[in-house]
């Protein structure tokens, strides 16, 4: 599991560790990890030019000590000081290693190191820092811990902030590394282990890794039969949108549940059975998927599904008929526009602050909310959130959400909790898309067909 801690949690853990270590040991670990990550990015050291942008916090100290390591390796290291007060020990180490302090950026560097604002700083950048960054626009940039200016605990972005190619963080991931829009500004993220793990508290924000998915995924027992593996029902599609039914069923019929039932208009049902001969008609189910392409009938279908008292995935057209708290076994799967309408806010607000709005929706409706996006968020009413890191930009294609809803429904029917089904389903959906895409375009049906391959690629639990 990849855990993302808040600034307060990190500071508390660091204080415990600092009491056990010699003075300066933690910063030296961070600085050497940072320096080696920069060397990996540069590919070589001798003759390469490195510019440090240094503020007053510990991130500036990390940058200065890393600059000293790089200077000793043969890099030409310049430091532009953006505060009258910087880390004295780090500055002395840089000068002793042959690094320089410069008042202006006269020579274009090979890499810029952002040590402007620490994780405890306020979001945004001062004008002098923004001006210095503007002078080196286009140069690869490495952020120390988090890109300066981002809101570390929320993943939100002010108007002025650093956009990094690589972020080197220490001890643990922070919320801004996982949650958009700040995660996008981090670029690639490299974690330097400082030994904080044993003293860190439980994190409310986390991201599943392949081993976690393998452990959570329901697998048939040696004596399994189709009913024991779970039956998922799909109420989706209409005469106007028959494709939604086909794609929802494709996600549900990916083999993760024992049986799929389809309930819908006769003409649509005929098309579903033609494409998926293993799908059967109405009957008892362990979970429902409702809403995709449902049109004017979506409200009626939602009422019928909820009346069964089983876990239910509510998607697309059915979301417009959600008016109050739902059973805690429900999973809502809106995109930003749909969630904005449900919460009575503008779409831009949801896109700017997705973590806050996903949590608000989970509390408002009393169930799990899967907010679709580049970094999909799965929020539980108790405040826990899982972030999906799998996927590809090619996944932004019509019908992909229908497949996702069916997949989550299958996992619910197979016995996962709503929180686990939503987060495992989202992870598998993104992984399947990457496999199907292989770097190129795809359509939603390709994602459904690649789910089995994604499962086969998981490590053995």
């Amino acid at each position: 599991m990849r855990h993302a801690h808040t600034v307060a949690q990190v500071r508390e853990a660091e204080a415990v560790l600092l009491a056990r270590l010699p003075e300066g040991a933690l910063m030296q670990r961070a600085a050497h990890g940072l320096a080696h990550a920069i060397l990996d990015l540069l590919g070589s050291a001798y003759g390469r030019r490195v510019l440090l942008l240094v503020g007053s916090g510990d991130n500036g100290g990390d940058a200065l000590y890393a600059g000293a390591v790089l200077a000793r390796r043969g890099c030409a290291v310049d430091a532009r000081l953006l505060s009258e007060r910087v880390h004295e020990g780090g500055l002395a180490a840089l000068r002793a290693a042959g690094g320089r302090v410069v008042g202006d950026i006269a020579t274009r560097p090979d890499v810029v190191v952002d040590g402007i604002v620490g994780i405890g700083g306020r979001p945004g950048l001062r004008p002098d820092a923004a001006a210095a960054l503007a002078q080196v626009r286009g140069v690869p940039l490495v952020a120390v811990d988090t890109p300066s200016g981002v809101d570390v605990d929320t993943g939100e972005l002010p108007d002025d902030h650093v956009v990094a190619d690589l972020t080197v963080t220490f001890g643990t991931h922070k919320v801004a590394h996982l949650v958009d829009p700040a995660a996008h500004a981090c670029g690639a993220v490299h974690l330097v282990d400082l030994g904080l793990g044993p003293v860190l508290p439980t994190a409310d924000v986390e991201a599943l890794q392949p081993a976690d998915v393998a452990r959570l995924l329901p697998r048939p027992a040696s004596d399994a039969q189709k009913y024991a593996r779970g039956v998922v029902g799909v109420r989706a599609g209409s005469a106007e949108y028959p494709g939604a039914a086909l794609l929802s069923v494709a996600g549900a019929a990916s083999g993760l549940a024992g049986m799929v039932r389809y309930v819908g208009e006769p003409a649509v049902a005929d098309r579903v059975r033609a494409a998926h001969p293993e799908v059967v008609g109405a009957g008892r189910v362990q979970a429902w998927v409702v809403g995709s392409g449902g049109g004017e009938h979506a409200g009626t279908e939602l009422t019928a599904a909820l009346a069964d008292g089983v876990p239910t995935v509510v998607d697309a057209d059915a979301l417009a008929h959600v008016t109050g708290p739902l059973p805690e076994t429900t999973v809502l799967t809106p995109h930003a526009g749909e969630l904005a309408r449900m919460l009575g806010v503008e779409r831009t607000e949801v896109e700017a602050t997705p973590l806050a709005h996903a949590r608000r929706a989970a509390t408002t409706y009393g169930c799990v909310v899967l907010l679709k996006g580049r970094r999909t968020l799965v929020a539980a009413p108790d405040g826990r959130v899982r972030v999906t890191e799998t996927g590809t930009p090619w996944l932004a294609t019509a019908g992909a959400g229908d497949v996702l809803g069916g997949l989550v429904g299958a996992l619910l029917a197979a016995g996962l909790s709503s929180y686990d089904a939503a987060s495992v389903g989202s992870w598998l959906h993104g992984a399947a898309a990457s496999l199907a895409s292989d770097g190129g375009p795809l359509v939603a049906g390709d994602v459904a067909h690649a789910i089995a391959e994604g499962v086969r690629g998981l490590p053995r639990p």
Side-chain angles (χ1 to χ4, degrees):
M1 194 79 71
R2 181 167 291 165
H3 302 283
H5 290 86
T6 65
V7 172
Q9 290 173 326
V10 172
R11 292 295 191 225
E12 185 177 345
E14 286 178 341
V16 173
L17 200 58
L18 284 168
R20 305 173 182 173
L21 295 173
E23 184 177 354
L26 208 59
M27 182 170 281
Q28 288 298 326
R29 288 183 187 177
H32 278 78
L34 173 61
H36 286 289
I38 294 169
L39 286 171
D40 285 344
L41 179 66
L42 288 171
S44 62
Y46 190 77
R48 308 305 293 271
R49 304 197 66 89
V50 178
L51 174 66
L52 313 176
L53 299 179
V54 181
S56 60
D58 285 347
N59 283 14
D62 295 333
L64 289 166
Y65 277 120
V69 174
L70 295 170
R72 290 195 295 269
R73 292 293 189 92
C75 293
V77 183
D78 292 340
R80 171 80 184 277
L81 308 184
L82 298 171
S83 173
E84 294 181 0
R85 181 175 58 87
V86 299
H87 195 281
E88 292 182 2
L91 183 59
L94 177 68
R95 283 176 162 151
R100 304 183 307 161
V101 173
V102 298
D104 199 8
I105 304 170
T107 305
R108 193 168 180 83
D110 295 303
V111 68
V112 175
V113 180
D114 161 31
I116 303 170
V117 180
I119 62 172
R122 288 186 296 181
L125 295 175
R126 296 201 319 258
D128 59 338
L133 288 162
Q135 286 184 268
V136 291
R137 186 174 289 118
V139 177
L141 189 145
V142 178
V144 180
D145 218 353
T146 57
S148 291
V150 307
D151 192 315
V152 179
D153 283 347
T154 68
E156 298 168 15
L157 292 179
D159 290 336
D160 288 325
H161 60 87
V162 165
V163 177
D165 298 283
L166 170 67
T167 296
V168 181
T169 193
F170 312 114
T172 181
H173 290 86
K174 287 74 178 177
V175 176
H177 297 134
L178 299 187
V179 175
D180 274 340
H184 194 264
C186 290
V189 178
H190 173 70
L191 176 65
V192 176
D193 184 10
L194 299 182
L196 292 183
V199 294
L200 282 166
T202 301
D204 288 333
V205 177
E206 59 188 15
L208 295 178
Q209 302 303 295
D212 304 309
V213 176
R215 172 178 52 83
L216 290 169
L217 193 72
R219 296 176 184 273
S222 59
D223 59 348
Q225 45 93 356
K226 60 188 177 185
Y227 295 108
R229 293 190 58 212
V231 180
V232 56
V234 178
R235 294 176 177 269
S238 59
E240 187 176 5
Y241 302 109
L246 292 167
L247 291 168
S248 294
V249 168
S254 51
L256 295 173
M259 180 184 289
V260 180
R261 297 185 183 276
Y262 178 75
V263 176
E265 299 176 34
V268 179
D270 289 343
R271 293 186 61 174
V272 168
R273 283 191 290 269
H276 301 279
E278 71 277 12
V279 174
V280 298
R284 191 172 179 181
V285 301
Q286 279 73 57
W288 280 110
V289 179
V290 58
S292 298
E296 61 183 16
H297 303 297
T300 303
E301 299 291 357
L302 176 61
T303 300
L306 293 175
D308 269 358
V310 298
T312 301
V313 178
V314 184
D315 189 28
D317 293 337
L319 292 168
H321 299 277
V322 174
T323 57
L326 294 165
E328 62 181 9
T329 55
T330 308
V331 178
L332 307 179
T333 60
H335 56 57
E338 290 165 336
L339 188 62
R341 288 191 291 273
M342 295 176 74
L343 296 177
V345 300
E346 295 296 321
R347 179 178 185 137
T348 52
E349 294 180 56
V350 176
E351 292 172 335
T353 57
L355 179 61
H357 283 92
R359 279 176 161 159
R360 177 186 164 192
T363 301
T364 298
Y365 295 105
C367 63
V368 168
V369 173
L370 186 158
L371 175 57
K372 292 179 280 195
R374 189 190 81 98
R375 289 283 175 93
T376 291
L377 302 180
V378 175
D382 62 6
R384 291 175 298 152
V385 175
R386 282 182 179 155
V387 186
T388 301
E389 296 181 290
T390 57
T392 166
W394 294 109
L395 187 52
T397 186
D402 303 338
V403 174
L404 173 60
L407 172 56
V408 173
L411 292 168
L412 283 173
L416 287 188
S417 69
S418 54
Y419 188 57
D420 285 342
S423 48
V424 169
S426 180
W427 192 98
L428 281 175
H429 186 251
S434 295
L435 288 169
S437 166
D438 195 24
L442 53 74
V443 295
D446 298 337
V447 180
H449 295 147
I451 291 170
E453 184 181 355
V455 172
R456 285 193 294 271
L458 291 171
R460 288 191 174 273

